[in-house]
Amino acid sequence: MPHLFATSDLHVTHEGNAPLVDEVVPRTPDDWLLVVGDVAERAESVIGVLKTLRERFAKVVWVPGNHELWTTQKDECQLRGQARYEHLVERCQEIDVLTPEDPYPVWEHQEKPLTIAPLFVLYDYSWRTPAAEGLPLLAAVDQAREAGVLCTDEFFLHPDPYPSRQAWCADRVKISTERLEAIPEDHGTILMSHWPLHRHPTAPLYFPEFALWCGTTETEDWHRRFRAEVAVYGHLHIPRSTEADGVRFEEVSLGYPREWRKRARGPIPLRRIF
């Protein structure tokens, strides 16, 4: 029986993480792998790691995280926003790695067929603390900064040609909704998104204000609406299994070395989903 594995937030440019890619290996030649974003910040590093993983696994499915979408001075690829995303999609297609722009694959090894839906949705700052509800966006961001947290996306994740990240998110929600609605009704789904689709995984955040950069209320019911067997995500660097409405949520991130070195179980760069 083939296995379905998942990983995210490998952050291979951080010293100590790159060697752990050697542990992301299948158990059988027919195993599949879901890569749920934040492989690296540089485009060539992202593609290089995905190519290595594709050589090992029968199928690899990737969604972008915020780090892949950053445009930094050290990256030879200076594309921004949508153009950067399209560039990464094209490069993935060249190495036979599936993306949110490709036909959704179907996992046939459960009681019913499960359509794997790689989702690129982003966030729209709608996950607010009670103190930030109703405030203008700049005031909410300032409040987070005063609390001691500000996402680096504010400097490196450009929404071009959209006027804002919220507008880009709204378009991605529309595109994703249309594709999810086209999934056959007799299929369950495996929803994979770098940002969690439901807010409950953000509850343990040390800075609750960081939820601003973690998702959107527009996806809160997708696990029910689109018949999810499991929702796989990363971004938070809080690897764990939870449930919402009887649906399993799996946070599969490796995280930064300073994080996994503190854990008794050490680094876990690969999680089995089925």
Side-chain angles (χ1 to χ4, degrees):
M1 177 71 72
H3 303 90
L4 178 65
F5 289 103
T7 187
S8 78
D9 297 79
L10 291 171
H11 294 292
V12 298
T13 57
H14 286 253
E15 186 175 356
N17 274 17
L20 296 174
V21 175
D22 293 338
E23 298 181 23
V24 183
V25 294
R27 294 184 186 175
T28 80
D30 297 321
D31 291 353
W32 290 16
L33 177 67
L34 311 181
V35 183
V36 198
D38 278 8
V39 174
E41 295 79 24
R42 301 180 188 180
E44 287 303 320
S45 297
V46 174
I47 300 304
V49 170
L50 291 175
K51 182 177 180 181
T52 295
L53 296 175
R54 179 61 186 89
E55 291 167 353
R56 298 173 185 169
F57 287 84
K59 195 177 291 292
V60 173
V61 188
W62 166 85
V63 294
N66 52 317
H67 283 239
E68 278 104 341
L69 300 174
W70 286 0
T71 304
T72 63
Q73 291 182 347
K74 295 181 179 180
D75 193 348
E76 292 181 1
C77 177
Q78 288 294 298
L79 295 171
R80 293 161 56 121
Q82 178 71 15
R84 183 177 183 86
Y85 170 62
E86 291 175 352
H87 171 75
L88 290 168
V89 166
E90 182 178 346
R91 296 290 306 278
C92 283
Q93 292 170 338
E94 291 172 356
I95 59 174
D96 193 30
V97 168
L98 295 178
T99 77
E101 307 310 310
D102 294 304
Y104 290 166
V106 178
W107 182 253
E108 300 277 7
H109 305 288
Q110 300 303 118
E111 293 181 359
K112 60 182 175 182
L114 300 178
T115 294
I116 298 175
L119 304 170
F120 167 40
V121 178
L122 273 167
Y123 54 86
D124 61 4
Y125 302 92
S126 57
W127 288 357
R128 304 286 189 97
T129 62
E133 289 292 344
L135 293 179
L137 175 57
L138 289 179
V141 171
D142 285 343
Q143 186 183 88
R145 183 188 291 109
E146 291 170 3
V149 61
L150 182 68
C151 186
T152 310
D153 292 1
E154 296 297 316
F155 307 101
F156 295 139
L157 202 167
H158 306 288
D160 312 27
Y162 296 90
S164 66
R165 297 179 195 88
Q166 304 97 295
W168 195 4
C169 174
D171 193 45
R172 291 306 312 182
V173 167
K174 179 177 181 294
I175 292 168
S176 300
T177 301
E178 291 172 353
R179 296 201 61 190
L180 288 166
E181 289 175 340
I183 294 173
E185 292 187 2
D186 61 340
H187 284 212
T189 61
I190 299 168
L191 305 179
M192 56 178 291
S193 168
H194 179 68
W195 296 272
L197 299 175
H198 191 273
R199 186 168 181 175
H200 82 269
T202 68
L205 286 173
Y206 185 80
F207 292 103
E209 294 83 2
F210 188 72
L212 275 175
W213 295 277
C214 293
T216 168
T217 56
E218 296 297 320
T219 64
E220 289 273 302
D221 68 342
W222 281 13
H223 59 292
R224 300 191 311 272
R225 181 178 173 188
F226 298 116
R227 308 174 300 283
E229 287 289 318
V230 60
V232 184
Y233 67 98
H235 189 58
L236 304 181
H237 297 193
I238 309 173
R240 61 186 184 135
S241 300
T242 57
E243 281 193 4
D245 304 306
V247 177
R248 179 162 55 108
F249 280 70
E250 294 285 353
E251 218 270 35
V252 298
S253 61
L254 170 62
Y256 300 127
R258 68 174 183 270
E259 295 166 330
W260 55 254
R261 283 174 180 150
K262 296 177 182 178
R263 299 171 188 149
R265 58 184 179 173
I268 301 179
L270 186 65
R271 292 274 298 277
R272 184 167 67 86
I273 305 302
F274 289 116

